């Protein structure tokens, strides 16, 4: 029975780890840009001038509107955009693809909206209407909410997406400041650095491996003390080699701007703490849009999975420790002692 419980706990940990990695990948797909939000809408002329100076910018706004097909009508969350649609909604399409930046007549819809308008998820190539405008569905992405991405050049936008690029020393704040100066856009009310929760989710997805490494490191001195000289050095060499191989993967997932140039620079630590605090406040105070829900729920789901993984890791550690204590220990037989005529101990 104990073995069955241990096997079930190990299987549950494996499934949770797979789910955590899948959730982290989905969250990373929605976190490929820095999102700028304005309290007052940016005029279409200002947005177009900014795109000419900074071609990578993608503007969008969100509102609720009525959409119609040939004989059905539905109310949906509409994201009007100008630029790259995949930056506005990062989910991959189940069928078709996101409209290209120069496709003024194409759109993308969610699976829920496809069912409401067309009665099927196979909606690529079909036509929907929004007031007097006509759009052809290029792609269908998964979502339980009715959502549509519609290109629009003459809208007043309330948000912009700045694609991630290695620039300004990897510092996202410096990257945004340079973009605002170059494009001539006003200072946004909120800056949402979405790659930060994505990096945190990737770190939490590898939590069981980190837990196992910590337990192994704690038990290593006691275990290796029993080994002879060649075996002990081989174990240490193998562990150091595994750490060296894992370090590049860790550094690739870790944001470069959170790595200090000098670890003894105490001013950097206070500056980084203040920057992280401002980023957290922006996520809490910014008006929530529909596209932000996937990021926030994904981060909460990753935290919940991490807690369950920690609990299962501790259960397995306790069970293995208990099983080790129950193992029979071999005791060396007592040596027989004899005495000679002068009452001195001698070996028999």
């Amino acid at each position: 029975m104990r073995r069955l419980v241990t096997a079930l706990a190990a299987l549950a940990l494996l499934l949770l780890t797979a789910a955590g990695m899948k959730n982290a990948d989905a969250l990373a797909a929605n976190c490929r840009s820095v999102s700028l939000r304005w309290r007052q809408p940016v005029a279409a002329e200002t947005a177009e001038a900014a795109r000419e100076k900074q071609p990578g910018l993608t503007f969008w706004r969100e509102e609720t509107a009525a959409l119609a097909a040939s004989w059905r009508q539905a109310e949906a969350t509409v994201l009007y955009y100008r630029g790259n649609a995949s930056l506005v909604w990062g989910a991959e399409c189940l069928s078709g693809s996101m409209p290209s930046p120069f496709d003024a007549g194409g759109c993308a819809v969610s699976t829920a909206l496809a069912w409401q308008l067309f009665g099927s998820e196979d909606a690529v190539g079909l036509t929907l209407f929004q007031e007097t405008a006509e759009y052809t569905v290029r792609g269908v992405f998964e979502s339980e909410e009715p959502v549509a991405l519609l290109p629009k050049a003459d809208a007043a936008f309330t948000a912009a997406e700045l694609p991630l690029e290695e620039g300004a020393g990897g510092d996202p704040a410096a990257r945004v400041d340079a973009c605002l100066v170059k494009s001539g856009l006003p200072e946004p009310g909120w800056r949402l650095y979405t790659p930060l929760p994505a990096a945190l989710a990737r770190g939490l997805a590898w939590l069981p491996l980190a837990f196992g490494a910590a337990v192994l490191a704690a038990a290593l001195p006691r275990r290796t003390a029993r080994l002879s000289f060649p075996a002990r050095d081989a174990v240490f060499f193998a562990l150091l080699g595994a750490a060296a191989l894992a370090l590049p993967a860790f550094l690739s997932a870790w944001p470069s701007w959170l790595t200090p140039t000098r670890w003894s620079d105490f001013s950097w630590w206070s500056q980084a703490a203040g920057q992280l605090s401002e980023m957290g406040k922006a996520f809490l105070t910014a008006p929530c849009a529909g596209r932000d829900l996937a990021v926030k729920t994904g981060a909460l789901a990753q935290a919940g999975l991490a807690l369950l993984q920690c609990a299962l890791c501790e259960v397995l550690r306790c069970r293995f420790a208990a099983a080790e204590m129950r193992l029979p220990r071999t005791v060396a037989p007592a040596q027989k002692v004899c005495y000679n005529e002068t009452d001195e101990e001698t070996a028999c």
Side-chain angles (χ1 to χ4, degrees):
M1 185 63 182
R2 293 192 183 97
R3 292 181 180 179
L4 178 60
V5 173
T6 303
L8 290 177
L11 179 61
L13 179 61
L14 179 63
L15 294 177
L16 286 176
T17 302
M21 290 183 177
K22 182 179 179 180
N23 183 71
D25 291 339
L27 187 60
N30 285 298
C31 300
R32 297 182 295 126
S33 61
V34 178
S35 187
L36 311 178
R37 310 290 173 85
W38 286 274
R39 292 182 172 85
Q40 299 297 329
V42 177
E45 296 78 9
T46 305
E48 187 61 28
R51 279 179 48 80
E52 292 178 358
K53 300 175 183 177
Q54 193 83 14
L57 282 172
T58 296
F59 291 87
W60 60 277
R61 67 172 299 171
E62 178 182 313
E63 64 181 41
T64 302
L67 302 176
S70 56
W71 53 280
R72 291 186 179 183
Q73 186 173 354
E75 191 173 79
T77 299
V78 178
L79 298 173
Y80 299 108
Y81 70 92
R82 176 71 169 164
N84 190 352
S86 61
L87 292 180
V88 180
W89 196 277
E92 295 184 358
C93 291
L94 299 178
S95 59
S97 60
M98 289 289 181
S100 67
F102 303 102
D103 187 359
C107 69
V109 298
S110 65
T111 52
L113 183 59
W115 276 104
Q116 293 181 13
L117 290 179
F118 308 108
S120 171
E121 293 182 4
D122 188 14
V124 176
L126 301 181
T127 303
L128 63 83
F129 303 91
Q130 199 272 324
E131 296 179 349
T132 58
E134 178 180 334
Y135 300 94
T136 302
V137 178
R138 308 293 188 200
V140 179
F141 54 88
E142 186 175 3
S143 178
E144 297 180 357
E145 300 295 328
V147 181
L149 273 69
L150 306 181
K152 198 167 186 178
D154 56 350
F157 302 101
T158 57
E161 301 299 315
L162 179 62
L164 292 179
E165 293 181 9
E166 286 296 331
D171 187 355
R175 163 73 175 156
V176 172
D177 291 336
C179 171
L180 293 176
V181 171
K182 183 177 180 179
S183 61
L185 290 171
E187 178 67 26
W190 301 274
R191 303 181 181 191
L192 304 184
Y193 298 93
T194 56
L196 190 60
L200 179 61
R202 287 192 180 277
L204 291 176
W206 290 95
L207 194 60
L209 182 61
F211 191 98
V215 173
L216 181 62
L220 187 62
R222 180 169 55 88
R223 295 287 186 179
T224 55
R226 306 173 185 175
L227 300 177
S228 59
F229 161 69
R232 182 173 63 249
D233 287 358
V235 170
F236 277 112
F237 181 79
L239 291 176
L240 290 176
L245 291 175
L247 186 60
F250 172 77
L251 293 178
S252 64
W254 183 259
S256 60
W257 59 276
L258 284 179
T259 303
T261 55
R262 290 186 305 165
W263 292 91
S264 59
D265 187 3
F266 295 101
S267 62
W268 181 91
W269 294 100
S270 60
Q271 181 181 357
Q275 194 171 358
L276 290 174
S277 176
E278 290 296 327
M279 292 180 182
K281 290 179 181 178
F283 273 101
L284 294 175
T285 59
C288 186
R291 67 184 297 277
D292 300 334
L293 191 61
V295 177
K296 293 182 178 181
T297 55
L300 290 176
Q302 197 70 39
L305 290 172
L307 288 176
L308 291 176
Q309 286 173 326
C310 285
L312 286 174
C313 285
E314 181 62 20
V315 168
L316 290 174
R317 187 194 68 81
C318 293
R319 296 196 69 84
F320 288 143
E324 183 180 359
M325 293 178 63
R326 287 194 298 268
L327 290 177
R329 299 180 179 272
T330 58
V331 180
Q335 185 177 6
K336 188 176 181 180
V337 180
C338 300
Y339 296 90
N340 55 16
E341 296 177 354
T342 58
D343 292 336
E344 295 179 353
E345 294 183 3
T346 60
C348 298

